[in-house]
Amino acid sequence: MTLLPTLRRIGAACAVAVLAGCSAVTMSPSGDVAAQQRDLIVASTVLMLLIIVPVIALTLFFAWKYRQANKEATYEPDWDHSTHLELVIWAAPLLIIIALGALTWISTHTLDPYRPLDRIAVGRDVPEGTKPLVVEVVALDWKWLFLYPEQGIATVNEMAAPVDRPIQFKITASTVMNSFFIPALAGQIYAMPGMETKLHAVINAPGEYEGFSANYSGAGFSGMRFRFRGVDQAGFDRWVQQAKADGKTLGRDGYLELEKPSEREPVRRYASVAPGLYDAILNRCVEDGRMCMKDMMAIDAQGGLGQPGSYNLSRSAPGATTGRRASTFVAAMCTPSDPAGLGASTATPVQPL
């Protein structure tokens, strides 16, 4: 009979010990953007609790007051309406919804990850003339590659940034969709191959923080973590010099080797990076002889190659009333039954522009 209480006490002690190790970084972040997101969560929760708590309390109160054993409870089987009660029932939730809507609309624009920062902390605007630190991020299987175009270096599974300096992240991926997340800095944002997402953030306190993937991406997902160091400007300069001292260069061949799936990679630093590497990663053309996506899209925008591109481009007339300039479009296309490519459409082929 005494075993069960003992087990309960042991379980409670273990739970307390485990929870004591939680830092709750999301609710106590070190970056201004993450702090604003935290405040939004708190404000939204409090607004919703203004309805939830009274509803739960009244539910328990009515269940107790109108219990079968309470013979003093008033019983009115013909009651069906109360104007005052209807006003409370509808007005209170409506006001909460309006407040939540206004809060969400304002914060959605203020915390837009693509929007450059206008402040570095509460009451502290970004100093005039301050340029953000640009960091190009590539999600690999299963590691993170960081490129610093201004400093000319690259790192794997480690990055650093000066305290109180805005950071502009340019984020992409090599294979599957991933998610870039540093809880102490800002909210997560997706990393997708062939696309670039952006995130503006700032770190306000020195320290070492954890970053990781917040989107399942395969076997090595659990070990896809990296260190983010918030340091002063002198510390950042030393960190850059340490990377340059390693002497290694990250070229295209080296990137293709790094891109291969691997788990729990150690920190690596590269003193220099091949010109245009991030752009080639983004446009899926790191390998020799592969056309970049941006070039494909430029060709497609002009009607493509071959006979459709050579003979079947036409130019629309400028809008008479709108004043829009003329645009180029494909006027005809060839089909397998029309190898010449000149009779597959009712549109009249035209000569190249």
Side-chain angles (χ1 to χ4, degrees):
M1 295 297 292
T2 60
L3 180 60
L4 185 58
T6 302
L7 292 176
R8 286 177 179 173
R9 286 194 292 269
I10 293 175
C14 292
V16 170
V18 171
L19 293 174
C22 296
S23 61
V25 64
T26 304
M27 301 308 293
S28 58
S30 301
D32 183 61
V33 174
Q36 292 182 69
Q37 293 172 335
R38 183 267 323 273
D39 294 342
L40 175 61
I41 293 173
V42 173
S44 300
T45 302
V46 170
L47 284 171
M48 289 183 286
L49 287 175
L50 292 178
I51 291 295
I52 295 173
V53 171
V55 168
I56 293 176
L58 288 172
T59 299
L60 297 174
F61 171 74
F62 289 143
W64 175 81
K65 181 175 181 179
Y66 295 100
R67 67 194 186 279
Q68 184 178 9
N70 186 12
K71 303 302 181 181
E72 297 180 359
T74 304
Y75 178 61
E76 298 180 2
D78 297 326
W79 180 89
D80 63 353
H81 179 74
S82 170
T83 301
H84 295 89
L85 187 58
E86 290 286 344
L87 288 174
V88 172
I89 291 173
W90 290 105
L94 182 60
L95 292 174
I96 298 299
I97 291 172
I98 292 174
L100 279 173
L103 185 65
T104 302
W105 190 89
I106 294 171
S107 61
T108 297
H109 291 80
T110 303
L111 298 175
D112 181 358
Y114 282 68
R115 177 182 177 179
L117 301 182
D118 53 12
R119 76 179 206 186
I120 57 177
V122 178
R124 298 170 58 195
D125 295 336
V126 175
E128 187 176 353
T130 300
K131 293 184 178 179
L133 173 68
V134 178
V135 181
E136 297 164 339
V137 183
V138 184
L140 304 171
D141 289 337
W142 287 274
K143 48 198 169 284
W144 293 94
L145 172 64
F146 302 99
L147 307 170
Y148 287 77
E150 180 182 344
Q151 290 73 24
I153 64 170
T155 60
V156 173
N157 286 343
E158 182 186 64
M159 67 163 296
V163 170
D164 291 341
R165 180 179 176 181
I167 311 170
Q168 180 186 8
F169 293 100
K170 298 180 178 180
I171 305 167
T172 190
S174 63
T175 54
V176 300
M177 184 174 77
N178 228 298
S179 178
F180 177 75
F181 190 23
I182 306 175
L185 186 70
Q188 67 89 26
I189 188 165
Y190 286 111
M192 293 168 280
M195 298 179 64
E196 180 183 80
T197 53
K198 294 182 180 179
L199 175 66
H200 290 82
V202 62
I203 192 71
N204 299 120
E208 185 171 306
Y209 308 97
E210 184 180 38
F212 54 88
S213 169
N215 190 79
Y216 182 73
S217 57
F221 162 75
S222 60
M224 195 172 173
R225 298 173 178 269
F226 64 91
R227 288 180 292 177
F228 172 70
R229 301 179 185 274
V231 294
D232 58 17
Q233 185 61 51
F236 179 71
D237 293 338
R238 288 194 299 271
W239 182 80
V240 172
Q241 291 305 316
Q242 288 176 358
K244 290 183 177 295
D246 284 355
K248 294 182 290 186
T249 298
L250 181 62
R252 296 200 174 203
D253 292 339
Y255 169 78
L256 293 175
E257 188 66 27
L258 181 65
E259 188 184 36
K260 296 178 181 179
S262 61
E263 299 183 27
R264 304 185 186 278
E265 283 285 333
V267 172
R268 302 185 194 179
R269 300 184 180 94
Y270 298 91
S272 60
V273 180
L277 178 60
Y278 175 78
D279 188 70
I281 297 170
L282 175 62
N283 287 281
R284 316 289 292 166
C285 56
V286 178
E287 300 90 338
D288 292 335
R290 174 173 289 190
M291 181 180 290
C292 293
M293 285 175 50
K294 63 180 181 181
D295 297 326
M296 294 181 190
M297 291 185 285
I299 292 171
D300 291 342
Q302 296 299 318
L305 296 173
Q307 288 185 330
S310 301
Y311 300 103
N312 297 333
L313 286 178
S314 182
R315 186 174 291 273
S316 63
T321 58
T322 62
R324 292 181 179 176
R325 63 182 183 180
S327 59
T328 303
F329 65 97
V330 178
M333 294 291 290
C334 63
T335 65
S337 60
D338 180 27
L342 300 179
S345 173
T346 57
T348 303
V350 297
Q351 295 300 316
L353 299 174

